Amino acid sequence: MATLLLVTVLIPLVGGIALFARPDLDHKTARKIALGAALATLGCSLVLVFGFDPGVTTPQFAFGPAEGPYGLSWFERPDIRFALGLDGISLWLFALTSLLLITAIFASWESITERSAAHYALLLTLETGLLGLFSSLDIVLFYVFFEFTLIPLFFLIGLFGGPERRRASITFFLYTLAGSLITLLGVVALVVVHYQFSPKHVLTFSMPALTQGLQTLPWPAWQIAAPWSSSPQALIFLLLLAGFAIKVPLFPFHTWLPLAHVEAPTAGSIILAGVMLKVGSYGLIRFNLAMTPIGAQAMFPLLAVLSVAGIIYGALAALAQTDVKRLVAYSSVSHMGFIVLGLFAMNASGLNGATIQMLNHGLTTGALFACVGVIYERFHTREMGELGGLWNRLPLLAFFLIVAALGSAALPGLNGFVGEFPILSGMFAKSPRIAILASTGMVLGAFYLLVMLQRVLFGPLRVPTGHDHATAHDHDEAHDRGGDHGVAIRPIGWHEIAGLSPLLVMILLIGVLPEPFFARIRPAVDPVVVALAKEGVAAPQSIEAPVPAALPPRKSASRKNQAGGATKKQSNEPPRRGIPMNPPAAKKVDEPPRRGIPMNPPAAPDTKKTAAPDAKSATSK
Amino acid sequence: MHGSFLVRNCWLVPFFPLAGAVAAAIGGKRLGASAHIPVVIGIGLAFLVSLGLLGAAGADSTTVLFDWMNAGGLRVPVEFRVDGLSTMMLSMVTFVATLVAVFAVGYMAGDPAYPRFFACVGLFVFMMTGLVLSNNYVLTYVFWEGVGVCSYLLIGFWYAKPAAAAAAKKAFLVNRVGDFGFAIAIFWLWTVANNHDLSYSVVLDPANLKLIRPEAIFGISLLLLWAATAKSAQVPLYVWLPDAMEGPTPVSALIHAATMVTAGVYLIARSMPMISSDPRVLAIISLVGGITAALAAAIAITQTDLKRVMAYSTVSQLGYMFMALGAGVGSVAQLAVVAAMFHLFTHAFFKALLFLSSGSVMHAMGGVIDMRKFGGLRRKLPVTCATFAVGGLALAGVFPFAGFWSKDEILAALKLASEVSGGAEGTGWGWVYGLVYWVAVVTAGLTALYTGRAFFLTFFGPERLPTAEDLAAAGHGSHDDAHTNEHGHGHDDAHGHDTHIGHESPLIMTFPLVALATCAVGVGLLFGPTGIFEGHLEHTLGFENLGHAEHGTDWNSILIGTFAALFGLALSYPLFALPSRIPSILATRLGMLYRASLNKFYIDEIYAAVIVAPLSFLAQLSKFADVYIVDGLVRLIAKLPRALSRSALAPYQNGLIQFYAAAGVLGLAALLAILLLI
């Protein structure tokens, strides 16, 4: 099975390379190749999903023994490994990616006719990036995939997007890149902190090992929760947050999203909203919550307020939109707020709900964007003012759109409910006020979605004149149905049905039978909940007493001594020399948060230290 | 045993209609005009099973089917409860639903979306029976929203009609506002409930209820009331129900009169063991009911749309049920719940009857429902006239029709409640019940008056049929858009009006009318004074612990209630049956009041100004703030590096070697100074 996972990740890449190699392929051949690759990937992921053992808590389908180290060795020293594996959190996002790619390909079936080989190649490469990202067990591998996904999406928007595609793609790229780089600092800080303070000074890049190790790190300062400015966890949390908050996107870092969505081609929007946004929330649960749980506790007020603000603000902004696609884009801001809110409820209910909601949001938003694509292809407009009564001519579209919208509005029996309800109840247990505020998003969410349905589907038929005839006769499926207004509207095609119905089936399935999904999520989420339940220490003063006893073993101190004379800082003597280079985080315990903590202290020594320990380990060997 | 087999398999009740709905939806195209068959059979079977359950009631059992979801701490099993309350509701719902479905076979004949209609109806019955059977607050919430969405789909059934589309959206949103309260109530309950178990049998257990703080119970009860005001159309969230009449009439009869709108009453009754411990909440419930009943009756009296009169009447009658529920203080508790549920029960029959009769009128009038456009139909529509009369008498509460018995019980309960809570050892809320009692009496008079008005305007006076313009303006113009477009070939006339304008409806429609009329006469007498209903309801979870005492027959209330009803009816005859100028004179004399009532006291306009307008303003504000402020800030920050380099750093790159050298030396000196001094 481990090989199968590797193969699953690589199939789309192979397909993508094949398509890149033959850029002159006509769109009919290209789309067939792409569909073949995507279907093969989906088939493999389904095998993985059905082969997934819900009882196992360690990552599955990984090379190597169950307790690690996982994967194939990639770099000898430092020990960076090409480690892939899935657990309950990543499993569904992995499957979602392979499913949404089918929808994305079908959504471009007719609309992409030029440079289509490149288009599909980019889509497939993007899929590999995302599959790899979700299945990475190694932090370096994760980051490589994390940044890699930007490239194909940048070109997808930049080459195949709407009139303002250049601005959109550059904004998207720079904004997310800026965030990712700060996240990189956080990631490095995690590795170094773990290396420096773990009992055996293990330099590991394995995500499960890091998660485990950081939770039991024998470093008193690591347990400080408040004030946040003197808590290394909180600072690393903020570093990590930068990139993920932009990816999610968390209010107020969301402004790239509407622009990117409106300009992106339908396939790009489906993947962007369906999967890319989940990268942010996935990162939050994997890193921010699992690795810096006390930092997360310290930052709870900030995150709770931002997500509630996002929920309400996104919903209000969606309510005012007249462009359907923009409306769906803002609805994503609102709904991703729910996911973050669930994560920061920091209890089982909230985390489970948030994790399944990542899948749910991918399905409903993917379906909504696909429906918008269907509309746009026919009428070349997304303005709700120019559309109306489409139910009349496109009853199947109406069906898909209504189910997707109601699913998105968290109607029980459809998938949104099984995510949002636990999220909100979890948050209510944590903070009733926040939960009540967030619940208004439930009402507003129904509001803008129903307004959209009413304008687009209900009422007398209204379509923009002029466009339809041209498109209708372009395609072989099109046939004039006659009727009033003399408007010929191409009925919904088989490929559109094929793209939407799997999503619809999943929306219903999760809504009606969520338990099989939860059963696989729970074991993976439980350790995070346990980690979050651990109380942080309130003030640095209280920790000062046990410092000597609980401090990392002398060895580390002496080693530090060699490295830069850091031991002195642990004595009462105020730090004199060596400030610029390496104020190890331990110092913060002694020193009141006077200097605050510049961005780099955890990171700056890292670069230093990674070199030094290497030398040390070399000597020991 | 037969009974216990049914109890164990009570899931069959929701299952049959669902199966019928699925069959109608999937086989819709092939079945065509016979798409109703699976649904009618499904609902009929559900009714038979319900009857079996009714016989087996007293078992008070729960059946856990499977774990629906388990999100860490929030665990929701699919569990059904068979007890007095649920079997009573089930039998009523499935019985009315069967008759309405049969009626709809005739009423909806020829509609191009015939299968969709029956699929939605089947789905609705599934949801409604599920709601009634559920043994868990979250599961109730699931079906609660489920019936809401069915209502949305059915109100918007004629989607091409803008008014229907708007009404559907309004119904869903107002209900969502109520669901918001329900959801918060569940979250709160979840945090305080024993073992985080939201099963009724756990939450409503007296031992567990004692563990919950009184403030929590107060808050949760108020939130549940909030939820109920939306679903059961009470002040302040009743505004969606009158508009919901844009849906097909069978839908109005089934969903917006007999079944779904009673869900709120059901929820409060179900939670009575919890709610009745707080007299404040009870008083508020009664007050809400009283205000609603009076307000809606005052509006109903001037409406010209027959269905709207019935809609406001429904709101008003639901208000009666709330009044009764609120009267459940101390030793009156059990009596109050029984009175409320009994009124719910009888109301379902006579109101469904009145709606179907209105539908029959509408059918015969080619889709026209404005009472100013027709009149004197008693000869043209003899059966409809008779059944409407029976329904009207029951609604007015005239002896011995069904409404009489239940309304009388409500009055008695209110009277007792005012006595119990008014005394020295009372809760101090006695004045509320005293007030509500008289509101109820006055409203009973108003009810009789508007019922008489509707009846006489429709069936008495000189015979008038709608003109051709009326026909064009009403049914046709609105429907045919959807119809012709949908299949291209012209079913211009959805109901086949043209062929039989002014003729009695076919047998398939009159049969349900007669059946319901029989119930409207009989159920009150059969179940009320005999004590069968009360005895049955006692086998309900937690009801045995509700306060109950022996109460004598309250002859005073019976006399007052009957007098009010007869007075109202007697007043309506000369006013509306005979050619009389008094109504128009009254209308001009009481100009302000009349216009206020005609315009529904401008509640919709007030809501639009107070809630909708500020919300859209906020939405527009967010839209522009997003582009100009939030994104503006981001762009500003993005410009900073470039601006910084241009204005601050670029001048230093001036190409003068001397300057570079000087700067280098100065920098070195500065660094040294820092190192040495600090």
Side-chain angles (χ1 to χ4, degrees), chain A residues 35 53 99 118 230 232 236 353 466 494 504 606:
Chain A
L35 183 65
D53 182 352
L99 181 64
S230 61
I236 297 182
W494 69 267
L504 203 78
D606 301 15

Side-chain angles (χ1 to χ4, degrees), chain A residues 254 313 330 392 409 459 512 522, chain B residues 68 70 145 159 176 485 626:
Chain A
H254 64 270
Y313 177 87
Y330 276 104
N392 189 324
V512 176
R522 275 195 309 271
Chain B
W68 181 53
N70 181 354
E145 285 223 330
Y159 53 80
R176 247 304 152 95
N485 292 346
D626 203 55

Side-chain angles (χ1 to χ4, degrees), chain A residues 254-255 313 316 320 330 349 352 392 409-410 412 417 424-425 439 442 447 450 454 459-460 484 511-512 514-515 522, chain B residues 68-72 116 141 145 149 159-160 165 169 172-173 176 180 187-188 190 481 485 615 619 622-623 626 631:
Chain A
H254 64 270
T255 46
Y313 177 87
L316 284 174
Y330 276 104
S349 175
N352 278 301
N392 189 324
F417 177 77
L424 288 172
S425 53
S439 302
M442 220 173 66
F447 198 173
L450 289 190
Q454 186 194 359
D484 51 344
V512 176
E515 189 46 30
R522 275 195 309 271
Chain B
W68 181 53
M69 72 169 180
N70 181 354
R116 178 157 58 90
Y141 181 87
E145 285 223 330
V149 84
Y159 53 80
K169 185 187 72 180
F172 195 96
L173 286 180
R176 247 304 152 95
F180 166 76
F187 301 152
W188 198 344
W190 177 71
D481 209 20
N485 292 346
L615 202 60
S622 310
K623 182 181 172 182
D626 203 55
D631 196 39

Side-chain angles (χ1 to χ4, degrees), chain B residues 442-503:
Chain B
V442 172
T443 307
L446 284 175
T447 308
L449 183 61
Y450 70 67
T451 312
R453 171 175 175 267
F455 177 73
F456 292 130
L457 283 181
T458 307
F459 295 101
F460 278 63
E463 189 171 291
R464 278 180 302 143
L465 292 180
T467 59
E469 302 96 81
D470 295 338
L471 288 174
H476 301 258
S478 49
H479 298 175
D480 66 1
D481 209 20
H483 297 160
T484 47
N485 292 346
E486 187 138 310
H487 283 179
H489 51 80
H491 265 294
D492 273 7
D493 174 24
H495 310 152
H497 304 298
D498 291 325
T499 46
H500 41 113
I501 278 259
H503 290 275

